[in-house]
Amino acid sequence: MAKFKGAIVVDTEKCKGCGLCVVSCPTKVIELARDVNGKGYHYAHMANPDACIGCSSCGLVCPDTVITVYRMKAS
Amino acid sequence: MTATTELKNIISEENKVYGKTSVLLDNEMHYCPGCTHGVIHKAIAEVIEDMDIQEETIGVSPVGCSVLAYNYLDIDWQQAAHGRAPALATATTRLMPEKYVFTYQGDGDLASIGCAEIMHACNRGENIVVFFVNNGIYGMTGGQMAPTTLEGQVTATSPYGRDCQTTGFPMKISEMVSLLPGTRYVTRESAETAGAVRKLKKAVKKAFANTRENKGLSFIEIVGTCSSGWKQTPVQSNEWMKEHMFPYYPLGTLKDE
Amino acid sequence: MGDIRLMKGNEVIAEAAIRCGCDGYFGYPITPQSEIMETLMIRRPEQETGMVVVQAESEVAAINMVYGGASCGKKVMTSSSSPGISLKAEGITYLAGAELPALLVNIVRGGPGLGTIQPAQSDYFQAVKGGGHGDYKLIVLAPASVQEMNDFVDLSFELSFKYLNPAMILSDGVIGQMMEKVELSDFKPRWTAEEIEKISGSWATTGKKKGIKRRISTSLDLDSAKQEVFNHKLQAKYRAMEENEVRFEKIDCDDADYLFVAYGSSARICQKAIEIARAKGIKVGLLRPITLFPYPTKQIQEMLGQVKGILSVEMSAGQMVEDVRLAVEGKVPVEHFGRYGGIIPTPDEVVEALEQNFLGE
């Protein structure tokens, strides 16, 4: 059981669906959506939220700074 | 507790550990998906915020994909002619020595047309920071060969692969400038993983600290990708970069005095 | 009585720059103007006024240093001679496109190409019509004496900041190398950071303070509609210069039947030619454009009811003569006389040309 619980919020309209966050995630939380945003990109989303540990890796590598990361101690 | 209520608990201001720095403007970046410029812009912006130097920093943008860098960082900017950013930065730091002045240049801008300006700014040891983004290709004009294009690499103007016998060899600019006494800090970084970005931010911080201490020129090369120019996905580009760019352009600090 | 000296034109440019509170000079050696940077290096203004002097690695770097310095709201300048100005052309159009003030000095030598190091006036087109790309204009001042080399430095900065446009002193190797009596200007202090903020705070890139919009020094706008609007603004500025800033001198024009139009050192030669011609009974006068842009078009037109012929005298194959003809619109004959490639015409040759063209001799 991870010591931290995390979550991300993606600005889906600004996301360009590059997928760099997907491969950066150590716990395989993120996937590109089947749906597309207004620009036609398959935006990133938390497909497996329970696994998120709030490590910020996705935020750091996101070229468009569309990911905000939250983290709290696991209860 | 259900998954949804738990998520709601986590997503609150006091739990926020990573978000957009206020030094980055809200303007959507014009770069292609996965472009390294976005990550580098963000790293520079975050360091400017951390060091609280937003009011004292002046950026000089190049000609190339990052010509519009001034749309993304909320600082004063000068937009240089192709290759001439170090000349603008020279005058700016000479006339306002208390400011933090940086140039942001690509490989066409710095290593090709601006070779004279960068070498002489380095040689004079101007008290500035230079960000040199090396992705081995001209992005904005549509993927032509750059001085840093690897041997055999296919581009719009080397469609059969770069032939070094007729086009010269990929230039190792960081190695060249590290030989000049005017440079104090020369490092080659990347930005493809969280760890690399953290390292890059450390380098940026050190470079601006050098400016504060009037130490002379700090040169940070960032090996990056150009998915559109390389004709690969962003994820494939990172793999190609690690496999082909890193062996020729090895990461690490070349000089730190 | 001010500070009166016997000095070379080029040296005076340097001295006048220090005295008018110039913040930075960025140059590259080229004959016949190298004394400007040499004088600055000897004078060490960095110790006296804090003015920065940098010998750049090329003319290209020098003009781009000027672009950077001008972007900071500072009074900055460069100087060169013809081939060097060609190299600076790109930077000059960037300055005009970014609406930045700066002083450019061209001590013209004969061309084209590497040409010669002797004086010429064959860069008129380059200075007045463009030189670089795009629809832009420079304010161009043409000194005819060492005194005007002094006076026009401060005047150029004044006009350049008034219109946010680069200004050029278009001189030549004669005036640059000539020694003459000059009354130097009094010292003016350089602007402080607070003064710069007050004068140029809306555009100078001095570091974005909280609560204000960031300043961007650029000539780029990818939106063509906006770029056209911006060009309208530039054109309006150039029309305002034409309205307000024309400078000229008239000599012996009151009773003149013929007119010389000449600037810079050619105007001095024409003054002697007037003496010679008048001794022969030919009533000729001189209209000397001091600003080459804006050009004294109206002032030439005002002479048309009076004179029977106009001779444009230039050390070129005929450049300014085109502007004289545009002003005259065919109403009286306009001819050109020039020596070039570094040759300076004699007053006798000028009178002879006048006679041949207009008096049937």
Side-chain angles (χ1 to χ4, degrees):
Chain A
M1 181 76 185
K3 283 184 191 153
F4 289 96
K5 287 290 299 167
I8 63 168
V9 174
V10 179
D11 185 339
T12 51
E13 272 311 303
K14 279 192 176 174
C15 176
K16 293 176 186 160
C18 70
L20 293 182
C21 54
V22 176
V23 293
S24 80
C25 178
T27 54
K28 312 243 178 295
V29 172
I30 311 170
E31 284 177 12
L32 296 184
R34 288 173 66 95
D35 293 343
V36 293
N37 62 16
K39 289 194 291 263
Y41 290 122
H42 294 280
Y43 54 86
H45 76 124
M46 269 204 295
N48 183 14
D50 288 343
C52 182
I53 53 170
C55 71
S56 299
S57 290
C58 53
L60 278 164
V61 300
C62 173
D64 293 283
T65 320
V66 300
I67 303 175
T68 309
V69 184
Y70 300 88
R71 183 182 216 192
M72 63 187 281
K73 274 201 174 131
S75 49
Chain B
M1 212 161 38
T2 68
T4 337
T5 51
E6 192 175 32
L7 258 186
K8 268 189 190 156
N9 287 340
I10 302 171
I11 299 170
S12 67
E13 201 52 37
E14 73 264 23
N15 290 336
K16 190 164 136 184
V17 288
Y18 189 84
K20 188 179 81 64
T21 157
S22 64
V23 176
L24 274 184
L25 292 154
D26 285 330
N27 300 334
E28 239 172 84
M29 290 191 184
H30 70 288
Y31 300 115
C32 305
C35 179
T36 317
H37 279 309
V39 187
I40 303 167
H41 286 10
K42 183 170 61 172
I44 297 170
E46 287 173 0
V47 172
I48 288 173
E49 187 188 31
D50 288 352
M51 293 177 78
D52 194 20
I53 56 172
Q54 186 178 9
E55 295 194 4
E56 309 300 330
T57 304
I58 292 133
V60 186
S61 76
V63 168
C65 286
S66 48
V67 61
L68 295 172
Y70 57 71
N71 281 341
Y72 308 127
L73 266 70
D74 193 16
I75 55 171
D76 279 354
W77 281 95
Q78 300 169 5
Q79 196 283 303
H82 202 17
R84 317 299 171 217
L88 277 70
T90 294
T92 303
T93 186
R94 295 286 185 110
L95 291 163
M96 302 191 298
E98 70 287 359
K99 305 289 180 189
Y100 297 84
V101 183
F102 71 85
T103 72
Y104 189 102
Q105 305 174 259
D107 41 42
D109 190 88
L110 182 143
S112 189
I113 196 166
C115 216
E117 283 74 16
I118 191 59
M119 287 299 153
H120 286 275
C122 285
N123 193 45
R124 290 190 301 264
E126 299 296 345
N127 193 34
I128 60 173
V129 178
V130 174
F131 296 107
F132 168 44
V133 184
N134 175 11
N135 57 14
I137 205 159
Y138 283 75
M140 174 170 264
T141 46
Q144 294 84 6
M145 183 181 69
T148 50
T149 296
L150 296 176
E151 183 166 15
Q153 190 178 341
V154 172
T155 71
T157 51
S158 58
Y160 308 107
R162 182 177 188 170
D163 175 3
C164 291
Q165 294 310 311
T166 55
T167 66
F169 291 82
M171 287 172 84
K172 296 189 175 191
I173 296 287
S174 287
E175 281 79 354
M176 289 163 73
V177 300
S178 68
L179 296 174
L180 299 170
T183 53
R184 291 298 291 266
Y185 176 49
V186 181
T187 186
R188 189 181 280 122
E189 304 289 333
S190 66
E192 81 287 9
T193 63
V197 177
R198 286 198 184 92
K199 252 188 100 236
L200 169 62
K201 283 178 67 179
K202 234 184 217 174
V204 176
K205 204 167 269 186
K206 186 186 189 72
F208 282 130
N210 282 348
T211 300
R212 175 175 287 162
E213 290 158 34
N214 204 19
K215 278 189 164 177
L217 195 139
S218 298
F219 189 97
I220 302 179
E221 174 176 344
I222 301 106
V223 180
T225 64
C226 178
S227 306
S228 299
W230 293 2
K231 305 195 193 311
Q232 298 170 9
T233 68
V235 173
Q236 288 168 342
S237 295
N238 274 343
E239 293 310 313
W240 193 90
M241 172 176 74
K242 284 187 238 174
E243 198 180 322
H244 297 92
M245 297 282 277
F246 289 178
Y248 193 84
Y249 299 114
L251 305 184
T253 301
L254 286 102
K255 185 177 185 180
D256 184 7
E257 290 176 350
Chain C
M1 212 46 154
D3 189 351
I4 294 177
R5 311 253 186 108
L6 179 69
M7 286 176 82
K8 253 190 182 188
N10 285 340
E11 295 166 355
V12 165
I13 292 277
E15 188 62 37
I18 299 170
R19 287 172 180 244
C20 81
C22 178
D23 295 297
Y25 171 96
F26 307 91
Y28 186 79
I30 182 169
T31 308
Q33 63 80 54
S34 297
E35 295 90 348
I36 299 174
M37 185 162 48
E38 288 168 10
T39 304
L40 286 167
M41 291 297 186
I42 292 165
R43 284 281 276 106
R44 315 196 87 168
E46 70 279 9
Q47 295 179 359
E48 194 178 335
T49 68
M51 176 184 174
V52 167
V53 185
V54 178
Q55 177 170 341
E57 61 270 30
S58 66
E59 282 95 349
V60 175
I63 192 69
N64 285 286
M65 289 177 185
V66 166
Y67 181 90
S71 296
C72 304
K74 301 279 186 179
K75 281 188 189 175
V76 290
M77 67 179 290
T78 186
S79 67
S80 191
S81 180
S82 312
I85 297 292
S86 292
L87 281 167
K88 287 178 175 161
E90 182 198 38
I92 293 172
T93 156
Y94 272 65
L95 286 164
E99 296 202 86
L100 292 173
L103 167 59
L104 323 162
V105 180
N106 185 0
I107 307 294
V108 181
R109 60 190 248 185
L114 200 49
T116 170
I117 59 170
Q118 301 300 328
Q121 293 182 314
S122 44
D123 295 354
Y124 178 91
F125 283 154
Q126 187 189 45
V128 171
K129 308 288 180 190
H133 58 279
D135 279 321
Y136 77 92
K137 290 284 181 192
L138 299 177
I139 298 162
V140 184
L141 291 158
S145 64
V146 172
Q147 185 63 51
E148 285 187 338
M149 293 284 256
N150 173 80
D151 302 347
F152 290 177
V153 170
D154 195 30
L155 177 61
S156 296
F157 277 122
E158 188 194 311
L159 293 173
S160 159
F161 274 85
K162 179 175 172 186
Y163 290 97
L164 297 183
N165 200 73
M168 176 179 275
I169 293 179
L170 187 72
S171 189
D172 61 61
V174 175
I175 315 273
Q177 295 294 328
M178 180 170 68
M179 287 188 97
E180 214 172 29
K181 187 182 88 171
V182 56
E183 183 177 346
L184 296 170
S185 304
D186 293 337
F187 279 90
K188 282 203 286 195
R190 291 170 54 227
W191 287 333
T192 61
E194 291 71 32
E195 283 170 319
I196 289 172
E197 225 43 62
K198 218 172 132 194
I199 297 162
S200 310
S202 63
W203 55 267
T205 60
T206 56
K208 186 198 111 82
K209 303 287 168 287
K210 285 218 164 56
I212 65 163
K213 211 173 170 295
R214 72 196 191 287
R215 279 92 36 116
I216 306 164
S217 194
T218 183
S219 55
L220 175 71
D221 203 325
L222 294 170
D223 180 341
S224 298
K226 283 191 195 158
Q227 190 62 254
E228 190 182 39
V229 170
F230 173 69
N231 268 277
H232 285 319
K233 183 188 168 201
L234 288 184
Q235 291 303 316
K237 193 163 83 171
Y238 304 145
R239 298 296 88 78
M241 290 173 191
E242 287 173 331
E243 201 57 48
N244 305 319
E245 306 302 344
V246 171
R247 285 165 172 77
F248 63 96
E249 185 186 16
K250 276 175 160 183
I251 294 169
D252 292 335
C253 282
D254 288 349
D255 64 343
D257 295 326
Y258 299 95
L259 186 68
F260 291 134
V261 181
Y263 68 94
S265 40
S266 289
R268 295 173 70 111
I269 294 160
C270 284
Q271 277 179 260
K272 184 67 188 171
I274 289 172
E275 272 179 39
I276 297 167
R278 284 186 175 258
K280 290 178 160 188
I282 309 165
K283 285 193 262 179
V284 59
L286 167 68
L287 193 147
R288 173 170 80 96
I290 292 173
T291 49
L292 301 179
F293 183 85
Y295 196 70
T297 304
K298 280 182 203 158
Q299 287 70 22
I300 291 175
Q301 286 167 347
E302 281 162 15
M303 298 294 293
L304 294 183
Q306 179 188 336
V307 296
K308 291 181 263 185
I310 299 177
L311 188 68
S312 179
V313 181
E314 309 164 55
M315 297 192 304
S316 78
Q319 299 193 9
M320 185 183 70
V321 65
E322 293 189 3
D323 283 337
V324 180
R325 288 194 172 121
L326 282 170
V328 170
E329 293 178 319
K331 286 171 189 150
V332 299
V334 177
E335 299 298 338
H336 161 75
F337 174 70
R339 297 296 304 272
Y340 33 97
I343 301 289
I344 303 162
T346 66
D348 288 323
E349 281 179 314
V350 173
V351 175
E352 205 176 299
L354 180 74
E355 289 172 333
Q356 276 175 357
N357 279 298
F358 301 116
L359 295 151
E361 285 171 36

